[in-house]
Amino acid sequence: GGCGVLRVQHNVNYINQNANKYGVKIIMSPMPLFDNNLLANLRCVFVQRPFSPMPWLKNYKELQPKFGYSIVGEVDDNFTTYKGEAIPDYNMSSLQPRDFNVIDKISAENLQYIDRMITATDYLARILHEKFNYWNTITVPNICSRALWGRERKTGIRQKPLVLSAGAMQHYRSPQSLSPQFPVGVTGLRGDYCGEWPEWLIQNIDKMDLHFFADIPYFLDSIREKITLHQWYSTDMYISEYNRIRPDFVIAPLKNNIFNRCKSRLKFTEACAAGAILIGTDFEDSPYNCIHPICKVSPEPTKDELDKVFSEASIHWKEILDYQYDWINKNGEWLESEDHLNKWLTACSTPNTKLI
């Protein structure tokens, strides 16, 4: 999936290409490996999302004193209930039966074998701290590869701006008719498109060139013919298509809930890399707290508020883009950044050592 490609494969590929520089070689395997020759040279066992049954983690822990490697886990999305909330109802995966008591029990058991957890956000780390009493965490944000995203800085935006909604279909729930899969049907929910986002898009469709990936939300059916739809791509092809259309604005509406507080600011990082102005929802612990102040939208925006935000952003586009270009550079959220790579490799180093 996208999180595996961005958070693991891109890091692994880049580090392996520069193995002499970093002094490591990373092997990716779909299954646990217990070859003694391999374990004798092993510095880290890296596990993504260790919240499902993984009985072999105990075996690695039992062998750890002999071989001296670290055991590191990684998570970039919510995996449990917290403060009474789980997966929101507008996310279709919420319809899949889950016993969170069982998930939490498995998670707690697995965490006792893991020396350190890498999280994509501070909020995910907070859940590990407060719910699981697990404290050895380090936050490593999602990043973009300069090799894949790098372009010259923009010198202007279109008179009729290209506006992209780059989020996945899980940001709203399309209605489903009666079927064996949905015996009672499914009611459509606007989800993250809170307030008057849909009404504003409909009202202003002739002033923009609106694009979506994968699907057009059902609540925009009245303007469907005026929207450009791009198919759902693999992560690397998505980046290529994003760069090809080079949007002027990216919209990122979010509902104020625990699920979204766990989310990373990846859509903002991508917009910074591509030279697109991100308009995003701002609330406590929102992933978009860091975007330019002009571009912040309330959780329940009115059409008037959205008019004002887009008008101001169109006027101050250069100031905003300069802010975004500087932000991604200063925060080291390029894959090739030494800050990012050192943080990622350090997190995979000596076991049972708390990081400063």
Side-chain angles (χ1 to χ4, degrees):
C3 60
V5 173
L6 282 167
R7 290 191 62 78
V8 181
Q9 289 184 24
H10 283 183
N11 285 299
V12 168
N13 291 341
Y14 184 79
I15 291 168
N16 280 343
Q17 289 166 9
N18 297 275
N20 290 336
K21 177 180 179 179
Y22 296 107
V24 295
K25 183 72 174 179
I26 304 174
I27 298 172
M28 293 186 65
S29 172
M31 63 188 70
L33 303 174
F34 289 96
D35 179 86
N36 278 340
N37 291 327
L38 177 65
L39 296 180
N41 293 283
L42 191 62
R43 289 169 55 181
C44 175
V45 176
F46 186 94
V47 184
Q48 193 173 31
R49 294 187 65 84
F51 308 118
S52 58
M54 297 179 178
W56 40 266
L57 273 175
K58 183 178 180 181
N59 301 121
Y60 276 122
K61 195 66 177 179
E62 290 170 344
L63 291 167
Q64 188 179 43
K66 177 180 179 181
F67 294 105
Y69 46 71
S70 61
I71 304 174
V72 175
E74 189 273 347
V75 60
D76 89 320
D77 220 338
N78 193 19
F79 62 94
T80 184
T81 58
Y82 184 61
K83 296 185 176 180
E85 293 187 30
I87 300 171
D89 56 0
Y90 58 84
N91 188 310
M92 287 292 284
S93 65
S94 68
L95 300 177
Q96 300 170 2
R98 284 180 173 85
D99 188 332
F100 281 104
N101 290 325
V102 172
I103 292 172
D104 289 348
K105 182 179 179 181
I106 293 170
S107 300
E109 181 178 350
N110 288 346
L111 286 169
Q112 69 181 318
Y113 303 129
I114 293 175
D115 301 312
R116 182 177 295 124
M117 282 293 298
I118 300 175
T119 62
T121 66
D122 290 336
Y123 203 86
L124 280 168
R126 187 187 306 176
I127 292 177
L128 288 170
H129 300 167
E130 295 182 4
K131 181 167 183 175
F132 294 94
N133 195 29
Y134 187 95
W135 292 89
N136 201 358
T137 63
I138 179 172
T139 300
V140 180
N142 283 324
I143 42 77
C144 290
S145 168
R146 190 184 290 274
L148 295 175
W149 286 94
R151 295 286 296 273
E152 70 283 357
R153 293 196 178 202
K154 277 186 176 175
T155 57
I157 60 174
R158 299 172 179 89
Q159 185 172 359
K160 184 177 182 179
L162 194 157
V163 178
L164 172 65
S165 175
M169 294 180 287
Q170 289 83 357
H171 289 272
Y172 57 89
R173 190 171 84 182
S174 296
Q176 305 289 332
S177 56
L178 299 177
S179 68
Q181 185 179 5
F182 304 109
V184 296
V186 173
T187 303
L189 297 172
R190 286 161 52 148
D192 286 330
Y193 288 83
C194 300
E196 294 186 329
W197 266 107
E199 290 78 11
W200 183 83
L201 289 169
I202 292 169
Q203 179 177 293
N204 288 276
I205 186 61
D206 292 327
K207 300 177 183 177
M208 68 179 75
D209 180 11
L210 184 58
H211 291 235
F212 277 81
F213 276 101
D215 186 39
I216 297 173
Y218 72 93
F219 45 78
L220 298 180
D221 275 347
S222 63
I223 56 171
R224 180 175 291 272
E225 293 183 358
K226 297 183 178 182
I227 298 173
T228 300
L229 178 64
H230 303 263
Q231 69 182 64
W232 190 248
Y233 292 99
S234 65
T235 299
D236 290 343
M237 290 302 297
Y238 159 82
I239 295 171
S240 176
E241 184 70 359
Y242 194 126
N243 278 323
R244 186 187 70 79
I245 64 174
R246 210 161 194 210
D248 298 298
F249 291 92
V250 173
I251 57 173
L254 286 180
K255 196 167 189 173
N256 184 358
N257 56 37
I258 299 294
F259 190 78
N260 285 333
R261 292 182 183 197
C262 291
K263 285 193 169 297
S264 79
R265 54 180 176 248
L266 177 61
K267 294 305 172 190
F268 178 56
T269 309
E270 290 177 347
C272 292
I277 296 170
L278 185 128
I279 308 294
T281 309
D282 185 45
F283 48 81
E284 184 180 4
D285 296 311
S286 165
Y288 303 131
N289 289 158
C290 55
I291 70 177
H292 194 285
I294 288 175
C295 301
K296 293 182 177 182
V297 173
S298 69
E300 297 284 340
T302 63
K303 289 186 287 184
D304 286 344
E305 179 188 352
L306 291 166
D307 273 338
K308 182 179 179 181
V309 169
F310 271 84
S311 175
E312 289 293 308
S314 298
I315 294 170
H316 299 285
W317 65 268
K318 187 177 187 305
E319 172 192 332
I320 296 168
L321 286 182
D322 284 343
Y323 169 89
Q324 291 187 176
Y325 285 129
D326 291 342
W327 185 90
I328 191 173
N329 290 328
K330 290 177 181 177
N331 283 276
E333 296 196 9
W334 292 112
L335 165 65
E336 298 84 354
S337 161
E338 290 299 313
D339 287 345
H340 164 72
L341 291 165
N342 287 335
K343 185 181 289 187
W344 200 81
L345 288 169
T346 300
C348 297
S349 64
T350 311
N352 300 316
T353 300
K354 289 192 178 296
L355 300 177
I356 297 173

